[in-house]
Amino acid sequence: MSEIAAKARGRRRRLLSRLTPYLLLQALILIATILGLRLLQPNDPEDFALNGFTLREDGATRPVSLPHFTSSRYSLADPPLYTGTFTFRNGDTTSGWSVFLPRFSNAVEVAVNGVVVLDSRRDPNANRPDRNTPQIAAIPASLLHDGSNQITARLFVWGPLKGFLDTVYVGPDAALRPAFETRTLLFVTLPVVFSAWQSILAVILAIMWLMRRREPVYGVLAAAMVLGVVQAFVPPPVPPATISRLAAVLLASAPTESALIVVFALLFFDWRWPRYGALLFVPGIVVFVVGLLGGPPLPRILFLVLGIPMVGICLLLMASITATEVVRRQDAASFTIGCAVTIVLTCWIHDMLSVFEIVTNERTFVSRLSYSAMLVAIGAGLTWRFARALNQVDSFAGQLVTRVREAEERLKASFVREEARARAAALANERTRLMRDLHDGLGGQLVSIVALSERGQEGATITDAARAALKDLRLVIDSMDDIGGDLMLALGSWRERAAMQLRPHDIALDWRVATPQGLPLHPELRPWHVIQIVRILDEAVTNAVKHAQARHITVTIETRDDGQGPYGVISVADDGKGFELACEGTSQTARGLRNMRSRAARCGAAFDLSSDSSGTRVRLQLPQIFPDSDAAGG
């Protein structure tokens, strides 16, 4: 007996050691949820709040203060009429005035100075108590009087809850619109987004159930989500419409959906179906049948009496199931679902306090919005379950993965060899171009030096020729530097050489970079591209020195974009005397201009020359992508 008692005590201690941290965690989640419900309440513009009204209801008139609950649950023929006043000054019409209603139930009609400016019945979804839909309407300037103005609100109530009207705000639209948009985001947009995600998840789960019929847990969860989507997107009837069948479907979906979630939990955690488990669906079936057979008030009353308590019972059952699984399994799925159930249960209790008017200053229902937390938890649980299954599949696929990796390594080695061949071919092409550039440029200069020395020319002439040859040699060497496609690096070197060339002639070089990035990067840029561009710029500067009698030379660099992509533009302008383009003949200047056009064409660039009495301007428009062949330009 002592051994049995010791084992029992050990089992109880083990259960308490597992259950106590879980309960403490749920207590923390409960406190965090309560604080979140308080902190996440939108801040309305209190400077424009109207709280003091006169209420006419059931033939009696009395002063009330908003927020206010009506005494009647059904008032369509003679709705409660709230009458108040607000002050308006003619100088306040800069942004227009509006009336803003954060919360009401079931429908409201607002009039300013006897003219209706807002009627929520035009939007059926705006009159659903679970939507917390705000309303805002602009007040025409012609209705506003300088000084005191009257505002009335007729509250249409069709039960089963009492009517409720939150604080009314009247003021500049610019001050009220942010609060309206915040409430719309929280209570209209987010529920629609969550419901859309729920519909997508329902389709995915239905497909999974069709492919795996032996696991009905996916089908049950898909059915629950479909009911939630129906409730979210099907517009309810607005009295005096008598479409009771549609209302019955909407009202019966909530308790039926909750019962399906409990069934999902039983199947997910491999519990046996309880003997009286079918009773979970009785409230939803009763509400649905009565809604089909009876009048419009009956299903709403039954939903308040049977449906809402059934939702709470299902949440308590879910909390008990998950707590039991936490003690048994200590796994992530039970922990996650248990935390989500605590959040939804807390929000449901919050809504019940508002339904029974224990919380007297608000009626904001958040249960439907918090239902998304349970969806996220369930999705996480299913993801964990599938991840575990995928791990088992991965163990069988290990050999295939290894073979694929080996094939990839062989393919990468093949790519490396091909890249080496391509690099060698490109290097050979660059050597050929370099030899041609040296032959055409430096070779011609050396031949000229030899010819001048044989003719006995003066030393200055030979010196100039030698300097030209040295300049061309430096140009070829500099162009071979790896500039990583950044032409600005090559232009920086050219700038120094051009400044040294212009300094003896007392010509100032003005260097302007019109755009912060200078010129765009060109990964396809090759050394022979750089040579052609720099020689065009050299020719432009040489012409300005020899023929233009210029005092200033301006080099402008910029990047432009005509909608088809960025491209670079280089301009060289001088303030010399210019020349007549129509008189170009066979002179040395004309040959130099033809060489400049030819070099630009070989690079795929556009060359433009303009000259008048104020100076000469050379404009070189670089291509978006430089050609791969130096014969591309003809």
Side-chain angles (χ1 to χ4, degrees):
M1 293 294 293
S2 60
E3 292 182 2
I4 296 176
K7 290 182 179 179
R9 287 194 299 271
R11 189 182 304 109
R12 285 195 296 270
R13 284 196 297 268
R14 186 168 57 255
L15 292 178
L16 287 175
S17 64
R18 293 183 177 182
L19 186 59
T20 302
Y22 176 74
L23 294 178
L24 292 176
L25 175 62
Q26 302 312 304
L28 292 177
I29 293 177
L30 173 64
I31 296 173
T33 304
I34 295 174
L35 293 177
L37 291 176
R38 292 289 175 263
L39 296 176
L40 293 179
Q41 285 292 333
N43 294 323
D44 297 320
E46 297 299 332
D47 294 341
F48 305 98
L50 301 181
N51 298 100
F53 278 79
T54 301
L55 172 62
R56 182 175 61 82
E57 184 181 17
D58 299 330
T61 302
R62 67 181 189 277
V64 296
S65 179
L66 301 184
H68 180 259
F69 290 89
T70 65
S71 60
S72 175
R73 299 179 187 271
Y74 301 95
S75 56
L76 293 176
D78 186 20
L81 179 65
Y82 294 85
T83 304
T85 59
F86 65 93
T87 303
F88 171 78
R89 300 301 178 189
N90 288 331
D92 297 337
T93 59
T94 55
S95 63
W97 274 43
S98 298
V99 55
F100 169 48
L101 277 70
R103 187 75 179 90
F104 55 88
S105 59
N106 295 94
V108 68
E109 179 188 88
V110 179
V112 175
N113 293 326
V115 179
V116 176
V117 297
L118 171 64
D119 189 350
S120 68
R121 292 173 295 177
R122 297 172 183 173
D123 180 11
N125 288 319
N127 309 303
R128 296 177 57 167
D130 61 332
R131 283 291 177 90
N132 312 307
T133 305
Q135 292 284 292
I136 192 170
I139 304 175
S142 58
L143 295 181
L144 297 172
H145 305 152
D146 188 33
S148 178
N149 291 260
Q150 184 187 64
I151 182 171
T152 59
R154 300 173 64 196
L155 194 64
F156 300 92
V157 185
W158 51 80
L161 303 178
K162 291 182 179 180
F164 173 77
L165 181 63
D166 206 341
T167 303
V168 177
Y169 299 88
V170 179
D173 186 80
L176 303 183
R177 185 69 59 173
F180 168 75
E181 292 176 349
T182 301
R183 284 184 171 269
T184 302
L185 173 64
L186 292 176
F187 302 121
V188 179
T189 305
L190 282 182
V192 171
V193 171
F194 290 144
S195 299
W197 180 75
Q198 182 178 343
S199 64
I200 296 173
L201 188 58
V203 173
I204 296 174
L205 292 174
I207 295 174
M208 292 167 57
W209 175 69
L210 291 175
M211 299 300 295
R212 302 177 63 88
R213 294 292 185 87
R214 63 181 181 275
E215 297 187 28
V217 60
Y218 303 116
V220 171
L221 186 57
M225 291 184 174
V226 168
L227 289 178
V229 172
V230 170
Q231 186 180 14
F233 288 108
V234 176
V238 177
T242 57
I243 312 177
S244 59
R245 296 179 180 178
L246 181 59
V249 173
L250 294 175
L251 292 173
S253 63
T256 306
E257 182 182 9
S258 301
L260 288 173
I261 292 298
V262 175
V263 175
F264 161 80
L266 294 175
L267 295 174
F268 182 78
F269 292 117
D270 298 324
W271 282 35
R272 293 181 58 185
W273 180 253
R275 180 179 302 178
Y276 304 105
L279 295 178
L280 295 173
F281 296 93
V282 172
I285 295 174
V286 171
V287 174
F288 181 74
V289 173
V290 172
L292 292 178
L293 301 178
L298 290 179
R300 290 195 290 268
I301 295 175
L302 285 176
F303 176 75
L304 183 63
V305 175
L306 296 177
I308 294 180
M310 192 63 214
V311 173
I313 292 173
C314 290
L315 290 174
L316 291 174
L317 289 175
M318 284 287 295
S320 301
I321 294 171
T322 52
T324 303
E325 287 302 312
V326 167
V327 173
R328 288 175 51 190
R329 300 190 180 193
Q330 289 283 300
D331 61 349
S334 55
F335 264 101
T336 307
I337 296 178
C339 295
V341 171
T342 301
I343 295 174
V344 178
L345 183 59
T346 304
C347 294
W348 179 83
I349 295 174
H350 170 272
D351 291 353
M352 292 303 99
L353 294 177
S354 178
V355 167
F356 293 107
E357 300 179 20
I358 298 176
V359 178
T360 58
N361 60 344
E362 65 171 335
R363 182 182 279 179
T364 303
F365 298 129
V366 293
S367 294
R368 174 53 59 178
L369 188 61
S370 65
Y371 182 70
S372 60
M374 184 177 292
L375 291 180
V376 172
I378 292 174
L382 291 177
T383 303
W384 173 82
R385 189 172 181 176
F386 271 102
R388 185 176 61 181
L390 288 176
N391 288 334
Q392 298 175 355
V393 174
D394 289 342
S395 63
F396 293 103
Q399 185 178 2
L400 180 60
V401 171
T402 302
R403 292 180 179 178
V404 171
R405 187 180 297 112
E406 292 175 353
E408 289 179 351
E409 294 297 332
R410 291 194 295 269
L411 187 59
K412 289 180 181 178
S414 177
F415 284 156
V416 169
R417 290 193 297 270
E418 291 298 327
E419 289 178 357
R421 294 193 188 100
R423 195 178 301 110
L427 184 59
N429 291 334
E430 293 298 333
R431 288 197 186 100
T432 302
R433 294 191 183 101
L434 177 60
M435 292 171 61
R436 185 167 59 246
D437 286 331
L438 290 174
H439 177 271
D440 295 342
L442 182 60
Q445 297 291 346
L446 294 176
V447 170
S448 177
I449 292 173
V450 173
L452 290 174
S453 63
E454 289 177 350
R455 296 175 186 173
Q457 294 290 332
E458 297 179 0
T461 305
I462 297 176
T463 300
D464 293 338
R467 287 176 177 173
L470 181 59
K471 176 183 175 182
D472 197 81
L473 178 60
R474 288 176 176 173
L475 171 62
V476 174
I477 294 174
D478 291 343
S479 67
M480 297 304 297
D481 290 340
D482 184 13
I483 58 176
D486 189 357
L487 189 57
M488 292 297 294
L489 296 177
L491 293 180
S493 301
W494 176 83
R495 176 186 179 184
E496 296 179 2
R497 294 196 303 271
M500 294 177 59
Q501 179 184 354
L502 295 177
R503 194 174 297 116
H505 302 282
D506 197 22
I507 299 177
L509 177 63
D510 187 9
W511 184 270
R512 299 178 182 177
V513 180
T515 51
Q517 74 273 23
L519 296 174
L521 293 177
H522 292 278
E524 76 283 358
L525 191 67
R526 297 290 181 266
W528 66 270
H529 294 132
V530 179
I531 290 177
Q532 308 305 328
I533 294 172
V534 172
R535 282 179 173 169
I536 292 173
L537 301 180
D538 277 340
E539 187 70 21
V541 172
T542 300
N543 289 339
V545 172
K546 290 183 177 180
H547 309 294
Q549 299 179 4
R551 308 310 304 165
H552 292 85
I553 295 179
T554 302
V555 178
T556 304
I557 299 172
E558 61 181 330
T559 295
R560 297 183 181 179
D561 194 341
D562 56 3
Q564 298 180 353
Y567 59 90
V569 177
I570 305 174
S571 301
V572 180
D574 62 63
D575 59 351
K577 62 183 181 179
F579 63 95
E580 295 183 3
L581 298 178
C583 297
E584 291 181 25
T586 60
S587 64
Q588 184 177 357
T589 301
R591 287 195 301 271
L593 296 178
R594 286 196 296 270
N595 289 337
M596 294 169 72
R597 289 193 177 92
S598 176
R599 294 182 186 279
R602 292 175 64 186
C603 291
F607 178 85
D608 181 61
L609 175 68
S610 61
S611 183
D612 52 28
S613 59
S614 62
T616 303
R617 182 173 181 269
V618 174
R619 181 177 179 272
L620 188 64
Q621 178 179 324
L622 303 179
Q624 293 180 354
I625 299 178
F626 282 86
D628 187 57
S629 173
D630 60 355

